[in-house]
Amino acid sequence: MSCGRTLNKYIINTFQERNPKIKIELIEVEKTSLDVYNLENVERILGPPGRDAFDLVEVDTVLLGEIVDSNLLQPIEIDTSRFLPQAAKAVTYNRKTYGFPTMVCSNFLVTTSNPKGTTHSDALIGKFTGSWTRSQYYLNAYINIHGADSLYKGVDSNPCEEREALDAVKVLSESCKTNGQNPCTENWSSKDMIDAVVKSKESTFLGYSETIGEALMKAPGLKITSIKPPPLAIDVRKTKTLVYTDAVVMNSHMDNEKREAAIKFIDYYTSTELRLDLALCKDFVKPHKKCVRYELPADLQFYANPRLPKETLFQQFHSIIDTLGVSGPNHRLYYKKNDIANAISKCPMKLNTPRPTS
């Protein structure tokens, strides 16, 4: 996390102070061999009691349909109106609800200025590697051309036959080039991108809110001059941007007593109170006065809470999601993403279009 490594301990401790009879064992998947973007691993995690079985798992709902179709989840009854509409849709599959939304993410085009910066470059700072990332940008371009209702047609489409969408992604990725090199397509890390933003007197960054939040922590003098959706629309007046959701799902093999305890924890984990604490780094003993985690809660009330300082960027991120956000796919992309990514790499550009600007 951008503000330290005390977050998980804080969540568990504060919950158990309120619920001393419920004991929780936290297992960070990053410290295991279980990649939660691999469906086989998720099936093990949510399987019958055993070495790799967990009671609660936080997953990206891009896999929700496949998890449900594997008979690993049971429908649940929750009030989805307390969550962002895009998040509520993301946990719904075949008209039934299967998860508790926690966070949302979307790509933003952010321009910055930094008086203490040392480099000059007008190249875009972003990332266009990996099948998930490439397919996300392609689908974002696709719905801006064909409309939000066409999302799953985009998932099933052949990018080589969708020239406008394909070229929109290629043109955007090519705008990263500087001195004959394109770091956006060379597997640079989030740390590399943060360093590039921090070192630049002016920059244009394309990526998630939490990444720009880490740059702000690292460079207190960094100023955000604008936040916009990715420039992937032919007609900017019709711009839409995809929103992806993380959610907690429950192992269907839990008994009733454990299930009741799990729901108590989920209620706390998704609460406005906790999300505000985490956003404002309350888990720190001595937090930096400007410490803010720009991970975007799915909780709708979070953005209107008076505890949220007006000078933070949450309202700007929320405004884009609220007015332009379209819930990303929650099934089928798992089996299509590699085909989409490969097509983006192999199909030549047809258009010689000038690079998008901020």
Side-chain angles (χ1 to χ4, degrees):
M1 291 296 177
S2 58
C3 301
R5 302 184 181 278
T6 58
L7 177 145
N8 291 325
K9 183 178 180 180
Y10 178 85
I11 294 172
I12 301 302
N13 288 348
T14 53
F15 173 77
Q16 293 199 316
E17 285 174 2
R18 303 174 184 206
N19 301 273
K21 294 183 179 180
I22 300 176
K23 300 301 180 184
I24 296 176
E25 179 185 1
L26 175 71
I27 301 173
E28 297 183 40
V29 173
E30 292 81 2
K31 294 181 180 179
T32 74
S33 60
L34 299 174
D35 175 8
V36 292
Y37 283 90
N38 181 300
L39 187 58
E40 291 182 0
N41 284 338
V42 175
E43 290 174 347
R44 290 164 58 196
I45 293 171
L46 288 170
R51 182 171 61 87
D52 292 327
F54 300 161
D55 297 315
L56 298 176
V57 182
E58 192 164 14
V59 300
D60 191 321
T61 54
V62 73
L63 292 175
L64 184 71
E66 282 71 31
I67 299 172
V68 173
D69 290 343
S70 297
N71 297 316
L72 296 171
L73 302 177
Q74 297 295 325
I76 57 176
E77 294 184 6
I78 61 171
D79 178 13
T80 57
S81 66
R82 59 173 283 230
F83 301 108
L84 297 171
Q86 296 84 358
K89 186 174 182 179
V91 295
T92 303
Y93 181 64
N94 290 339
R95 299 183 180 180
K96 296 178 181 179
T97 303
Y98 288 93
F100 300 80
T102 54
M103 310 294 295
V104 297
C105 63
S106 188
N107 286 296
F108 301 93
L109 189 74
V110 181
T111 56
T112 71
S113 65
N114 185 6
K116 297 182 179 180
T118 57
T119 62
H120 296 270
S121 175
D122 63 353
L124 179 69
I125 299 170
K127 185 175 183 179
F128 289 86
T129 56
S131 57
W132 287 113
T133 300
R134 290 187 176 189
S135 58
Q136 285 178 15
Y137 281 124
Y138 169 74
L139 291 176
N140 217 138
Y142 189 94
I143 65 166
N144 275 298
I145 294 166
H146 298 285
D149 292 339
S150 69
L151 176 61
Y152 286 97
K153 290 183 179 179
V155 172
D156 294 330
S157 68
N158 179 355
C160 296
E161 297 175 357
E162 295 291 339
R163 301 307 315 188
E164 286 184 309
L166 178 67
D167 288 343
V169 177
K170 283 182 171 287
V171 167
L172 190 58
S173 66
E174 288 295 302
S175 64
C176 297
K177 278 188 174 179
T178 179
N179 299 324
Q181 294 183 322
N182 189 341
C184 292
T185 62
E186 295 174 1
N187 284 318
W188 65 345
S189 66
S190 294
K191 181 181 182 300
D192 295 329
M193 290 189 287
I194 292 167
D195 288 343
V197 170
V198 168
K199 292 176 182 178
S200 179
K201 287 185 176 294
E202 295 181 350
S203 70
T204 303
F205 166 82
L206 181 63
Y208 295 141
S209 58
E210 54 262 41
T211 304
I212 201 68
E214 291 191 37
L216 286 166
M217 279 296 299
K218 197 168 184 178
L222 187 67
K223 302 294 183 183
I224 305 300
T225 56
S226 74
I227 302 175
K228 298 178 180 180
L232 289 165
I234 303 300
D235 184 347
V236 294
R237 295 170 299 179
K238 300 179 180 179
T239 295
K240 295 294 182 183
T241 187
L242 288 176
V243 178
Y244 292 84
T245 301
D246 287 347
V248 172
V249 297
M250 296 194 296
N251 191 315
S252 61
H253 295 89
M254 285 192 293
D255 59 34
N256 288 336
E257 182 179 5
K258 186 174 283 190
R259 184 182 177 89
E260 289 178 5
I263 290 175
K264 284 185 179 181
F265 175 74
I266 293 170
D267 285 343
Y268 178 63
Y269 187 60
T270 60
S271 68
T272 305
E273 176 191 5
L274 179 63
R275 292 297 150 181
L276 283 163
D277 284 350
L278 301 184
L280 302 177
C281 306
K282 297 301 181 183
D283 51 298
F284 265 40
V285 177
K286 294 181 179 180
H288 187 285
K289 64 179 180 180
K290 292 186 177 181
C291 180
V292 180
R293 285 188 178 95
Y294 280 110
E295 295 170 334
L296 306 178
D299 174 55
L300 193 58
Q301 295 302 313
F302 169 90
Y303 300 94
N305 194 285
R307 275 186 60 197
L308 195 64
K310 293 181 179 180
E311 64 270 18
T312 66
L313 303 173
F314 283 108
Q315 296 299 344
Q316 294 183 59
F317 289 126
H318 175 246
S319 177
I320 291 175
I321 290 175
D322 183 48
T323 57
L324 307 176
V326 174
S327 185
N330 66 1
H331 61 290
R332 296 223 294 271
L333 185 57
Y334 180 78
Y335 295 109
K336 298 287 186 175
K337 60 183 176 63
N338 289 332
D339 291 340
I340 293 174
N342 290 336
I344 291 173
S345 298
K346 294 177 181 178
C347 295
M349 286 181 63
K350 182 179 180 181
L351 304 176
N352 184 17
T353 310
R355 91 169 180 89
T357 63
S358 59

